[in-house]
Amino acid sequence: MKDEELQKQIEAGIPVQTNDGKAYQLVFNKLKQEPAFHVPISFADRILAIIKKREEQRDFRWLAFGIFLSVVALVVVLTLTKAWTIGVFSFISGYPGLIAFGIAFILLLQWVDRKVVRKDATH
């Protein structure tokens, strides 16, 4: 007997005595039953929180990678152009603390933006 015939007989309620028919009957009976597990109400919220955390980690990695490449590019450019001592960027050699403060301040602003401003905008 073909699978389609077995399925039609079982759906019609006609008893089937073959092993294949019994297997089909068992499968159809199990498919009619509701699953025996229940998902907690907070399940979707937890999944979304995990996804959001992964996205934030991915964003942070890309930000760190971009900052690293920018610093490398800056060092390469300044080294190749010898801008430390001549040219437009000669003030850098006299104010290393100011440059470090500027970089730290920009990073602080980025952190505040990510933790406070964007968090409030999503609610």
Side-chain angles (χ1 to χ4, degrees), residues 19-34:
N19 287 337
D20 289 339
K22 291 178 183 177
Y24 264 94
Q25 186 68 45
L26 180 65
V27 168
F28 284 126
N29 289 341
K30 291 295 180 182
L31 288 175
K32 289 178 185 176
Q33 295 176 358
E34 288 289 325

Side-chain angles (χ1 to χ4, degrees), residues 102-122:
I103 292 171
F105 187 68
I106 290 171
L107 292 175
L108 175 70
L109 288 177
Q110 290 294 322
W111 180 80
V112 168
D113 180 52
R114 293 173 59 79
K115 295 295 181 182
V116 177
V117 176
R118 291 189 188 172
K119 190 176 201 177
D120 290 341
T122 59

Side-chain angles (χ1 to χ4, degrees), residues 69-83:
L69 285 182
S70 297
V71 169
V72 168
L74 177 67
V75 169
V76 167
V77 167
L78 293 176
T79 303
L80 291 178
T81 61
K82 300 192 189 301

Side-chain angles (χ1 to χ4, degrees), residues 56-106:
E56 288 175 358
Q57 289 174 348
R58 184 190 68 221
D59 290 346
F60 181 74
R61 283 188 214 120
W62 279 111
L63 177 66
F65 183 66
I67 290 171
F68 173 75
L69 285 182
S70 297
V71 169
V72 168
L74 177 67
V75 169
V76 167
V77 167
L78 293 176
T79 303
L80 291 178
T81 61
K82 300 192 189 301
W84 295 107
T85 56
I86 59 172
V88 178
F89 296 109
S90 61
F91 71 92
I92 292 176
S93 62
Y95 300 102
L98 179 64
I99 301 301
F101 171 76
I103 292 171
F105 187 68
I106 290 171

Side-chain angles (χ1 to χ4, degrees), residues 47-57 122-123:
I47 296 298
L48 290 175
I50 291 170
I51 291 171
K52 185 176 180 181
K53 184 176 180 183
R54 286 184 183 170
E55 287 177 353
E56 288 175 358
Q57 289 174 348
T122 59
H123 288 102

